[in-house]
Amino acid sequence: MNFDKDSSLDKILSALFDPYKQNVPEVNKISNAMIENDMIADESDIINDHIAFRTLGVPNLGIASFEKIFLHYGYKKKDPYYFEEKKLNAFWYEPPVERFPRIFVSELRVEDLSEKAQEIINKYVSDIDQCPVEKIDLNNTDEVGNFFYKPLWDLPTLEDYKALLQESEYAAWVIYNRYYLNHYTISIHELPDGYNTLEQFNAFLESIGIVLNTAGGKIKTSEDGLLRQSSSVSKMQEATFANGEKMKISGSYVEFAERSVLPQFKDLPKEQITREHRRDGFESANADKIFESTYLEQTSMA
């Protein structure tokens, strides 16, 4: 089957972004305020640095399964990342065309959790005996778009959710939210002067009532100083669990990234600078703290 990967990828990203935008009120709040402050003319002017997903590292799921979707659409697998304390692995993926966002996919090392936590997770995923991505037609953008919100396992009970929350807030988030888009990221360096540094943009965000993740400081800076990141704190939203039980839990959030020009290109005129001239990839230490945008220590301040 022949298809235009560019336009197909647009459809898939729209299928991801539209429900995310409806469920994360900060998205519209921020973009509307950016328009009012003449940073952008329209939401489509925002450059999306990357989008992120969380997965469970168990047979037939995890990164090895999830990445098949984006590899099919021309993304290239890049650097691995390891988070010892949070028991996570991750990779980032380079887009086939510069206008598309990078992708960051993490997975929980389930085998590193306690026996009790492993039992809870396996209760929900043990019946998945085949990679679910292999059951969909990757050339069919509707099927792919629907897949991200398709329930791959039963809704957890509130008791199981709370038990996972005690040990791994990441595990609890995934067992309820599954492959829901975790966050998208505004490229701050692409904005007009006066807003194109994180100090300036964070001040703007706080002026409109956005609560920022303070884990590791409001601005998380890579060792080389060339990648700086901030994020909003996830709002607590009422979730319905098995048997109709309800509880407010963390949803998704918005990230903000500032990528500096690499030293070898520092003398390039501003109008000539493209993505290839800026710091690429990610930084484990930054990402480690960004994960906490959905953690109770942060969400309790929102």
Side-chain angles (χ1 to χ4, degrees), residues 71-224:
L71 292 175
H72 180 79
Y73 282 90
Y75 274 82
K76 291 181 181 176
K77 192 172 188 175
K78 303 294 282 186
D79 308 309
Y81 300 93
Y82 177 80
F83 304 89
E84 183 174 3
E85 187 179 332
K86 289 182 171 66
K87 301 178 173 65
L88 306 174
N89 296 326
F91 281 91
W92 80 274
Y93 300 79
E94 182 181 66
V97 180
E98 189 173 299
R99 70 184 181 86
F100 291 118
R102 300 166 186 85
I103 290 175
F104 189 88
V105 185
S106 56
E107 72 176 8
L108 179 67
R109 294 195 302 277
V110 174
E111 72 277 6
D112 289 355
L113 300 179
S114 68
E115 283 190 26
K116 180 185 177 184
Q118 289 187 55
E119 284 174 9
I120 292 171
I121 291 170
N122 287 328
K123 178 168 76 174
Y124 293 97
V125 304
S126 60
D127 288 341
I128 301 173
D129 56 6
Q130 180 186 345
C131 169
V133 175
E134 294 180 356
K135 296 179 181 179
I136 61 175
D137 177 2
L138 289 174
N139 291 330
N140 185 321
T141 54
D142 289 334
E143 272 193 55
V144 176
N146 291 336
F147 174 78
F148 295 107
Y149 301 98
K150 179 183 178 183
L152 298 177
W153 55 80
D154 290 340
L155 267 178
T157 64
L158 184 55
E159 180 184 4
D160 285 342
Y161 177 87
K162 285 181 174 178
L164 288 179
L165 195 66
Q166 289 292 313
E167 184 171 339
S168 167
E169 295 196 48
Y170 181 106
W173 195 95
V174 180
I175 205 69
Y176 187 87
N177 291 290
R178 307 181 182 96
Y179 287 153
Y180 193 83
L181 182 59
N182 182 254
H183 67 266
Y184 102 113
T185 308
I186 297 174
S187 292
I188 302 309
H189 51 270
E190 302 284 1
L191 297 176
D193 291 345
Y195 295 102
N196 59 0
T197 70
L198 272 180
E199 286 85 358
Q200 294 167 324
F201 198 75
N202 282 354
F204 155 74
L205 290 169
E206 292 184 319
S207 76
I208 62 170
I210 300 297
V211 179
L212 296 175
N213 171 346
T214 59
K218 290 178 183 176
I219 297 176
K220 297 88 167 85
T221 305
S222 62
E223 198 171 321
D224 61 12

Side-chain angles (χ1 to χ4, degrees), residues 258-296:
E258 181 188 346
R259 295 181 183 271
S260 294
V261 174
L262 295 167
Q264 63 267 39
F265 302 120
K266 64 181 174 57
D267 295 326
L268 265 184
K270 186 176 180 180
E271 63 274 10
Q272 292 181 23
I273 294 170
T274 64
R275 182 182 287 189
E276 67 178 314
H277 300 123
R278 295 185 182 276
R279 165 62 147 85
D280 209 356
F282 294 85
E283 181 88 3
S284 292
N286 288 17
D288 184 76
K289 300 305 182 185
I290 294 289
F291 280 124
E292 297 184 25
S293 295
T294 62
Y295 284 23
L296 289 172

Side-chain angles (χ1 to χ4, degrees), residues 243-263:
N243 306 319
E245 301 163 299
K246 295 181 186 295
M247 176 178 156
K248 285 196 170 184
I249 68 170
S250 298
S252 298
Y253 57 96
V254 184
E255 190 186 318
F256 319 98
E258 181 188 346
R259 295 181 183 271
S260 294
V261 174
L262 295 167

